[in-house]
Amino acid sequence: MEANPILAEAVRGNWVENRHRGAFVIVDADGQVIASAGDIDRPVFPRSAIKSMQALAIFDRHAVERFHHSPEELALACASHHGEDEHVSNVSRFLERMGLSVNDLECGAHMPTNAKARQALRAAATEPSALHNNCSGKHSSMLSVALAMGVPTQGYVDREHDVQRAVRAAVEYVIGEELTEDRCGTDGCSIPTWAAPLHAWARGFARMSTGKGLDGEHARGAQALFDAATSHPHLVAGTGHLDTLVMEAFMGRVMQKGGAEGVQCGAIRDKGWGYALKCDDGNMVASHTMVAALLLRFADPDANQKAVLDQFARQPIKNVRGTVVGEMRAVGI
Amino acid sequence: MEANPILAEAVRGNWVENRHRGAFVIVDADGQVIASAGDIDRPVFPRSAIKSMQALAIFDRHAVERFHHSPEELALACASHHGEDEHVSNVSRFLERMGLSVNDLECGAHMPTNAKARQALRAAATEPSALHNNCSGKHSSMLSVALAMGVPTQGYVDREHDVQRAVRAAVEYVIGEELTEDRCGTDGCSIPTWAAPLHAWARGFARMSTGKGLDGEHARGAQALFDAATSHPHLVAGTGHLDTLVMEAFMGRVMQKGGAEGVQCGAIRDKGWGYALKCDDGNMVASHTMVAALLLRFADPDANQKAVLDQFARQPIKNVRGTVVGEMRAVGI
């Protein structure tokens, strides 16, 4: 297998300590490649980066007509939220509106991503619940799909459950590729994740961004989801996170979503371009430097947007005493 | 730059999610290569993996005659300890014996590496001190060098301080290579770290293991340090850590020490071989799988040693609910 290029490096003092390889692609809705590096045909797990695609099942299965999901609920369906108060209370209300509760979530519980939220739980000697799981909004939307389909909610995370079949079909429709069982794994939140080529994920984002290649219902659903996410960037991630800060700064022009193990996907909406990026070794900070460099180069940032991206494209490395001793930085994008 | 080979991969379900490249070399004390992969001439920061080499300054500067350092103190000088009670109390006594205290440490404070020790501090609402810093034993030994040299202890972490000059000279002597300022960075604990080729680090470990190529005083110092480390594996790392478990299982036959950002060094003492390994992207778990595979192949493990190494050469990946969904595993070693 040919090595992907080095797209980020960590420098300590005056010497490169670590190298991070990866691949990225930017395409339009027709699949025309605008820019790329590395192997864009190799199937990769998209993980949480494609929650907005998975959320299209809400529209496919008419859950949105039944529950009149608010933009906040749609944003949470696309979110890897940080377990802050705003996230937990909104997910709780989301479930309540459907007559469900935290007990119906099958994502498992983990400590909030947000440090202050973690400290608050520890100070209160409270264990985290499934509401704090970064995927609890997505799982609420999957429960919504189950109810709309009239199937039992229990086991909705299983690959052969009607909900996951619906989610899989929605994603396949958007990317125009079959998701096959020889490239399937279980995500951190227990639902299936399917590997597909980077160019397919990128084209899916371009299609969702433009509606091109999608039927009217899917196009409207995609638009509603992207509008919800880019209008509520804090719900999609959390305080200080790249996804939130980038979407805030670009004010609707950019949909940006990270996934575990170094995946970054999104759309430069006004250009109609989708992009997908994977850091080969799964390092998240490296993937942040890479996607920031990608947006710096291709998203025509203004001064404010550039300032936001700059802080992610080069990130200080500090020692235990807090002194800056190096930096992680994107290279070759 | 030619890519190093893939030496570890993370599999999710039935598909490879992440790939970790790296290089390793095993040499004897004459520098004869027993086995290698990747670029072994590229200088890499050894970080904490060479604390035993840095500790040779204790012998060079006659600190060991002055303070009659115990095997426990020598083991702590080589350690990246986990801040457990045994570590903190021993480092505290180490300093006290020299008429010093935690206030003389310039390594900074961080939460203990050990989870139970962290929980205990949190439960007591106590901030960690420099004693909990994984490097506090090494720093205590550097203070010992300062006292033995009759120089001020203050600023002992600075590159131009007599202590760091002595440490640098000791390391240069053992590896037989000059450490140059164009390949210098600051380590997490604020002392300098110097990049040198993997083969030089490996040969240094082979020399320390055999005494070959070292004068009598250095050979005795090296033997004392390796004996101290391999006789007190828990002091060198902590509960459940690879370095501790491997040294316990090999009962003196293997000196093994990890360093930050995916470095692993050591010696198969009865063969007189040193080894050094670096994961290109700095991933520690990947480097653990790699060094475990290296020892499985080259250290002639018995059944018990093999069982210990096996658990590091293949490590389960779990989802939030604790279900095994994949594994990190060494490949090609």
Side-chain angles (χ1 to χ4, degrees), chain B residues 257-287:
Chain B
K257 185 70 187 72
E261 305 300 336
V263 179
Q264 303 293 338
C265 290
I268 305 172
R269 298 178 73 191
D270 55 342
K271 293 178 184 265
W273 295 346
Y275 58 86
L277 178 158
K278 162 79 179 163
C279 174
D280 287 357
D281 59 63
N283 187 291
M284 289 309 297
V285 177
S287 76

Side-chain angles (χ1 to χ4, degrees), chain A residues 1-4 6 11-21 42-45 47 105-110 122 133-134 157-159 181-190 193 195 260-263 278-283 318-321 323 325, chain B residues 1-4 6 11-21 42-45 47 105-110 122 133-134 157-159 181-190 193 195 260-263 278-283 318-321 323 325:
Chain A
M1 180 188 301
E2 203 177 339
N4 280 328
I6 295 167
V11 179
R12 180 173 297 270
N14 51 27
W15 197 251
V16 175
E17 182 158 38
N18 296 327
R19 292 171 177 83
H20 302 276
R21 294 174 183 272
R42 187 190 300 171
V44 302
F45 286 128
R47 309 292 301 274
L105 293 173
E106 299 182 1
C107 48
H110 65 70
R122 283 200 191 104
N133 186 312
N134 76 88
V157 296
D158 298 336
R159 192 171 78 181
E181 280 150 32
D182 57 332
R183 303 171 187 171
C184 186
T186 303
D187 213 323
C189 67
S190 297
T193 181
E261 304 301 337
V263 179
K278 162 79 179 164
C279 174
D280 286 357
D281 59 62
N283 187 292
K318 295 179 181 179
N319 71 6
V320 172
R321 297 199 299 194
T323 309
V325 296
Chain B
M1 180 188 301
E2 203 177 338
N4 281 328
I6 295 167
V11 179
R12 179 174 297 270
N14 52 26
W15 197 251
V16 175
E17 181 159 40
N18 296 326
R19 292 171 177 85
H20 302 277
R21 294 173 183 272
R42 188 190 299 171
V44 302
F45 287 128
R47 309 293 302 273
L105 293 173
E106 298 182 1
C107 48
H110 65 69
R122 282 198 192 104
N133 186 310
N134 76 87
V157 297
D158 298 335
R159 191 170 79 179
E181 280 151 32
D182 57 332
R183 304 170 185 170
C184 186
T186 302
D187 212 324
C189 67
S190 297
T193 182
E261 305 300 336
V263 179
K278 162 79 179 163
C279 174
D280 287 357
D281 59 63
N283 187 291
K318 295 178 181 177
N319 70 6
V320 172
R321 296 199 299 194
T323 309
V325 295

Side-chain angles (χ1 to χ4, degrees), chain A residues 86-167:
Chain A
E86 189 192 0
H87 304 121
V88 173
S89 62
N90 269 287
V91 173
S92 189
R93 203 175 313 131
F94 189 161
L95 289 165
E96 207 179 313
R97 281 215 316 115
M98 302 188 293
L100 300 175
S101 78
V102 61
N103 299 324
D104 296 294
L105 293 173
E106 299 182 1
C107 48
H110 65 70
M111 270 292 191
T113 308
N114 179 270
K116 278 189 188 164
R118 282 200 301 277
Q119 285 157 12
L121 277 189
R122 283 200 191 104
T126 305
E127 291 294 313
S129 79
L131 293 173
H132 297 95
N133 186 312
N134 76 88
C135 300
S136 64
K138 177 183 71 178
H139 279 249
S140 299
S141 77
M142 289 177 173
L143 285 164
S144 156
V145 171
L147 295 178
M149 292 176 77
V151 299
T153 61
Q154 208 179 358
Y156 72 88
V157 296
D158 298 336
R159 192 171 78 181
E160 302 310 328
H161 190 283
D162 288 322
V163 166
Q164 295 308 327
R165 288 176 185 270
V167 168

Side-chain angles (χ1 to χ4, degrees), chain A:
Chain A
M1 180 188 301
E2 203 177 339
N4 280 328
I6 295 167
L7 298 181
E9 59 187 19
V11 179
R12 180 173 297 270
N14 51 27
W15 197 251
V16 175
E17 182 158 38
N18 296 327
R19 292 171 177 83
H20 302 276
R21 294 174 183 272
F24 76 85
V25 62
I26 305 178
V27 299
D28 66 19
D30 299 322
Q32 187 77 29
V33 173
I34 312 299
S36 80
D39 184 352
I40 63 173
D41 296 320
R42 187 190 300 171
V44 302
F45 286 128
R47 309 292 301 274
S48 292
I50 60 147
K51 281 172 173 169
S52 57
M53 289 185 190
Q54 296 169 322
L56 280 169
I58 300 173
F59 295 86
D60 278 353
R61 303 301 165 154
H62 309 289
V64 75
E65 283 98 322
R66 171 151 173 199
F67 293 109
H68 303 286
H69 289 305
S70 63
E72 287 79 2
E73 288 169 351
L74 295 181
L76 282 165
C78 303
S80 297
H81 69 70
H82 287 201
E84 298 171 74
D85 287 346
E86 189 192 0
H87 304 121
V88 173
S89 62
N90 269 287
V91 173
S92 189
R93 203 175 313 131
F94 189 161
L95 289 165
E96 207 179 313
R97 281 215 316 115
M98 302 188 293
L100 300 175
S101 78
V102 61
N103 299 324
D104 296 294
L105 293 173
E106 299 182 1
C107 48
H110 65 70
M111 270 292 191
T113 308
N114 179 270
K116 278 189 188 164
R118 282 200 301 277
Q119 285 157 12
L121 277 189
R122 283 200 191 104
T126 305
E127 291 294 313
S129 79
L131 293 173
H132 297 95
N133 186 312
N134 76 88
C135 300
S136 64
K138 177 183 71 178
H139 279 249
S140 299
S141 77
M142 289 177 173
L143 285 164
S144 156
V145 171
L147 295 178
M149 292 176 77
V151 299
T153 61
Q154 208 179 358
Y156 72 88
V157 296
D158 298 336
R159 192 171 78 181
E160 302 310 328
H161 190 283
D162 288 322
V163 166
Q164 295 308 327
R165 288 176 185 270
V167 168
R168 178 179 176 180
V171 175
E172 286 177 326
Y173 175 77
V174 171
I175 67 172
E177 300 233 358
E178 207 185 339
L179 300 173
T180 57
E181 280 150 32
D182 57 332
R183 303 171 187 171
C184 186
T186 303
D187 213 323
C189 67
S190 297
I191 70 161
T193 181
W194 307 85
L198 274 185
H199 67 75
W201 299 125
R203 196 177 57 231
F205 273 90
R207 285 179 171 177
M208 285 186 69
S209 179
T210 57
K212 274 193 199 167
L214 304 181
D215 60 38
E217 188 176 45
H218 280 97
R220 280 189 296 278
Q223 197 67 31
L225 286 162
F226 276 18
D227 284 349
T230 59
S231 305
H232 299 85
H234 186 265
L235 287 178
V236 179
T239 305
H241 189 265
L242 178 143
D243 295 351
T244 296
L245 295 178
V246 163
M247 288 196 286
E248 278 173 1
F250 278 90
M251 295 176 294
R253 282 189 55 224
V254 169
M255 167 74 187
Q256 155 61 29
K257 184 69 186 72
E261 304 301 337
V263 179
Q264 303 293 336
C265 289
I268 304 172
R269 299 178 73 190
D270 54 343
K271 293 179 186 263
W273 296 346
Y275 59 86
L277 178 159
K278 162 79 179 164
C279 174
D280 286 357
D281 59 62
N283 187 292
M284 289 308 298
V285 177
S287 76
H288 285 167
T289 69
M290 294 175 194
V291 76
L294 182 153
L295 291 170
L296 277 167
R297 180 161 164 211
F298 295 102
D300 303 335
D302 65 21
N304 174 50
Q305 292 154 357
K306 190 172 174 306
V308 167
L309 293 169
D310 280 341
Q311 72 183 288
F312 290 102
R314 301 175 81 101
Q315 298 190 45
I317 295 171
K318 295 179 181 179
N319 71 6
V320 172
R321 297 199 299 194
T323 309
V324 174
V325 296
E327 69 173 5
M328 177 86 92
R329 65 190 179 200
V331 290
I333 300 181

Side-chain angles (χ1 to χ4, degrees), chain B residues 125-195:
Chain B
T126 305
E127 291 295 313
S129 79
L131 293 173
H132 298 96
N133 186 310
N134 76 87
C135 300
S136 64
K138 176 182 74 179
H139 279 248
S140 299
S141 77
M142 289 177 172
L143 286 165
S144 155
V145 171
L147 295 178
M149 293 175 79
V151 299
T153 61
Q154 209 180 356
Y156 73 87
V157 297
D158 298 335
R159 191 170 79 179
E160 301 310 328
H161 189 283
D162 288 323
V163 166
Q164 295 308 328
R165 288 175 185 268
V167 168
R168 177 178 177 182
V171 175
E172 286 177 327
Y173 176 77
V174 171
I175 66 171
E177 298 233 0
E178 208 185 340
L179 301 174
T180 57
E181 280 151 32
D182 57 332
R183 304 170 185 170
C184 186
T186 302
D187 212 324
C189 67
S190 297
I191 70 161
T193 182
W194 308 85

